[in-house]
Amino acid sequence: MFNTNSHHPVVDGLPLAALRNRKSFKWRGFPADVLPLPVAEMDFEIAKPIRDELIGMLEVSDTGYLGPIPELGTNLAAFALARWNWKVDPEQIFTATDVGVGMVEMGRTVVKPGDLIMYNTPVYHNILNWIHELKCEAFDAPLAKDGEHYTLDLSVVEAGYKKGVKAHFLCNPHNPVGTVFTKSELASLAELAKKYGVTVFSEEIHAPLVYESGAFVPFLSVSETAREVGICVTAASKSWNLAGLKCATIITAHPDQKARAEAMPMAVHYRASLFGAVAAARAYECVDWLDAALVTLDRNRKFVAEQLAEKLPTVGYRIPDCSYLAWLDLTSLNLGENPTEVLMEKGKVAFNAGIDFGPNSGQFVRLNFGTSEEIISLAIDRILAAVNSK
Ligand SMILES: Cc1ncc(COP(=O)(O)O)c(C=O)c1O
């Protein structure tokens, strides 16, 4: 388990009234009577050192363009080494506006329009949008299910690679199913990628939010082969709640992949924001805050299970191994073709619709538990109210 010593700050969900004043999409994107639990951002206060640094910059109108922020590379590398024993070369860290831009712009150095890109449903819906943005064809190698646990289906992956897949957009660890892939799965994947000439884009934005310490395996840490075929795209934005500040990082660990990153237009790097880069650099030092957030999220992931057991015992839920997203199977509630719509209309509660994550997920919703117990409990009550009003 992550470090739970008592010096941590307490990080927990803000009261609903305070959250309603937020201007972010989660709090502005829905009618005022709807309780919003989609959108992967947390209802917590950000770490004080990040806040202080940003306020300090605003106070002196340090609001210009992004230039070199060497502490981003060195702090990220120090964090990766301490957290995952992964040696990152600060010279092979490149900024991009956000993970989406990083995936697409780095993707352009590997694929051309019409190429096949693999992804693994059910998966974060924008991965498919990035494939389409690259004007490529998506090749789905759905995750295999072992009881309630999802894994990569390496035989389906290999079949796809054989058919000419050029790049694989891997969500590691996985959103929305909360799976952390093992070193042996990732090592086998790297060997397959090398055999068939596939570039693996390991999208690792949720990695700092893996609950069990040592469980997360960065793809580029797995083997020499992984470093040769792989590119990591990640950000501090999910784990320290900085998405609006706009800065992600592309990480390479091989001269050929580094050359690809350097071949991207310079604009890709400086279209990240100054605030985002400074905040990310500081975030990688805020390990106490992260571990405190994980204490609360750990409690919340179990609280979701307790609430469901008490109020909606037939709903399917596997407690995720990472992050703050609960993947709920509502099949037994018989809410019709589009459960999310029914919950919104009859329960006044919003979730991400499962269907957006893959073709067989129509009866699922994704609930964001990066919030208070009060809001989680209210959300489950509202699902119950929608069910009872049918
Ligand atoms: C797996 C995954 N990748 C990327 C993102 C978004 O990252 P960005 O806003 O940096 O594009 C999210 C946000 O929820 C996510 O869950």
Side-chain angles (χ1 to χ4, degrees), residues 39-41 96-103 123-127 130 170-176 203-206 233-238 242-244 246-249 323-325 352 357 366:
V39 189
E41 62 184 55
T97 316
D98 55 26
V99 163
V101 171
M103 293 288 283
V123 74
Y124 175 58
H125 52 292
N126 277 320
I127 288 190
W130 303 334
L170 180 71
C171 192
N172 173 38
H174 201 92
N175 164 13
E203 207 261 67
E204 302 185 357
I205 194 169
H206 290 273
V233 183
T234 190
S237 58
K238 199 65 47 197
L242 309 169
K246 292 290 168 196
C247 180
T249 43
S323 209
Y324 45 84
L325 304 166
N352 286 102
F357 297 78
R366 195 189 72 174

